């Protein structure tokens, strides 16, 4: 199994780009740590109940919770597929845990793609984000509007704003990114797998650049 890490600030487009890539390539599997956690919260699992408060505050949930979820996904995917990891790891400690999982499964981390987007654009992208609570599709009020305002193109469900997409929490999430995730740049650069991708401009171009990088 090959593993590609997709990282970048909140709002850098990781989920949107990963969604596009997997739709076009059946050998790719998308695993989003944020989606796994939101599902756990929705289903009121023990992990979800514990994670909820951290997520509302825009803090990182404890490593043990998210690492277990990612480990389960790696086991499930197996085989010759390429796993696109979106949102994990988010700290150097998590990157160490991922390396252990990779060794355990005889997998290979082929690239760590950093989506680079200036801060001003990030805030606009996050506060304008809308998601479908039924199928998980993501939209933006101006950049990726649904055909019918407020409703999912795919399944027609009413779109919602994520609980942590408000301005106060967004500022905390950006600060957490700077303090805890930015050190991953040096971590993966030192291992020769870092790929920097410009995450602004038309979505097709961003997707194509990431495709080239992985
Ligand atoms: P995301 O959907 O990637 O923006 O993640 C939403 C929230 O889930 C984050 O603000 C964190 O509270 C939590 N989260 C997602 N991934 C991780 C991770 N790898 N480690 C810890 N917390 C995470």
């Amino acid at each position: 199994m090959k593993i590609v890490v997709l990282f970048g600030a909140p709002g850098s487009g990781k989920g949107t780009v990963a969604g596009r890539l997997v739709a076009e390539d059946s050998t790719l599997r998308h695993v989003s740590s944020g989606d796994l956690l939101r599902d756990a919260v929705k289903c009121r699992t023990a992990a979800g109940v514990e994670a909820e408060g951290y997520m509302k505050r825009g803090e990182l949930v404890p490593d043990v919770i998210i690492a277990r979820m990612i480990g389960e996904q790696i086991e499930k995917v197996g085989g010759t597929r390429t796993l696109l990891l979106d949102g994990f790891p988010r700290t150097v400690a998590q990157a160490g845990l991922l390396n252990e999982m990779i060794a355990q499964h005889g997998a290979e981390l082929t690239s760590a793609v950093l989506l680079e987007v200036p801060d001003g654009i990030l805030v606009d992208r996050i506060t304008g984000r809308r998601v479908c609570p039924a199928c998980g599709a993501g939209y933006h009020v101006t950049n990726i509007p649904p055909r019918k305002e407020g409703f999912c193109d795919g399944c027609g469900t009413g779109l919602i704003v994520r609980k942590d997409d408000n301005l106060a929490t967004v500022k905390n999430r950006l600060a957490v990114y700077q303090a805890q995730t930015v050190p991953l740049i040096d971590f993966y650069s030192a291992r020769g797998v870092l790929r920097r991708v410009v995450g602004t401009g038309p979505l097709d171009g961003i997707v194509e650049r990431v495709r080239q990088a992985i």
Side-chain angles (χ1 to χ4, degrees):
M1 182 191 350
K2 288 183 179 163
I3 295 193
V4 172
V5 166
L6 193 54
F7 72 115
S12 57
K14 302 181 294 289
T16 305
V17 167
R20 280 278 301 265
L21 289 170
V22 297
E24 292 161 15
D25 182 346
S26 61
T27 66
L28 291 177
R29 284 288 176 274
H30 175 203
V31 169
S32 151
S33 54
D35 286 350
L36 291 173
L37 287 163
R38 278 183 289 278
D39 279 350
V41 170
K42 203 163 142 191
C43 299
R44 310 308 296 161
T45 65
V49 170
E50 195 180 340
E52 191 172 23
Y54 295 94
M55 296 172 76
K56 273 194 186 144
R57 294 188 296 273
E59 296 166 7
L60 297 185
V61 308
D63 288 350
V64 54
I65 295 181
I66 187 61
R68 190 178 307 133
M69 290 180 178
I70 297 292
E72 285 166 8
Q73 294 299 315
I74 291 179
E75 298 229 327
K76 246 194 226 169
V77 170
T80 56
R81 298 194 188 288
T82 297
L83 190 68
L84 211 49
L85 267 186
D86 150 13
F88 184 92
R90 249 176 164 90
T91 64
V92 170
Q94 290 183 4
L97 293 173
L98 177 62
N99 279 350
E100 287 172 20
M101 295 181 217
I102 286 173
Q104 237 173 38
H105 290 85
E108 182 196 0
L109 195 155
T110 53
S111 50
V113 178
L114 170 65
L115 272 176
E116 296 190 290
V117 176
D119 273 9
I121 296 180
L122 293 172
V123 173
D124 171 70
R125 280 194 188 171
I126 302 175
T127 52
R129 174 155 61 192
R130 300 291 180 268
V131 290
C132 174
C135 72
Y139 298 88
H140 184 276
V141 285
T142 49
N143 303 344
I144 316 173
R147 282 193 294 273
K148 182 176 173 205
E149 197 186 325
F151 294 90
C152 179
D153 290 348
C155 66
T157 306
L159 301 178
I160 58 163
V161 177
R162 260 171 55 174
K163 280 188 189 136
D164 58 349
D165 278 351
N166 60 77
L167 198 56
T169 309
V170 166
K171 286 197 172 148
N172 196 30
R173 287 161 64 200
L174 290 173
V176 166
Y177 172 76
Q178 280 301 329
Q180 304 201 50
T181 308
V182 163
L184 281 182
I185 299 174
D186 284 347
F187 181 91
Y188 284 125
S189 175
R191 284 156 184 78
V193 290
L194 181 72
R195 308 280 179 269
R196 290 175 182 269
V197 170
V198 175
T200 50
L203 181 58
D204 285 349
I206 303 171
V207 172
E208 191 45 43
R209 289 193 287 278
V210 174
R211 200 197 320 276
Q212 300 289 328
I214 66 179

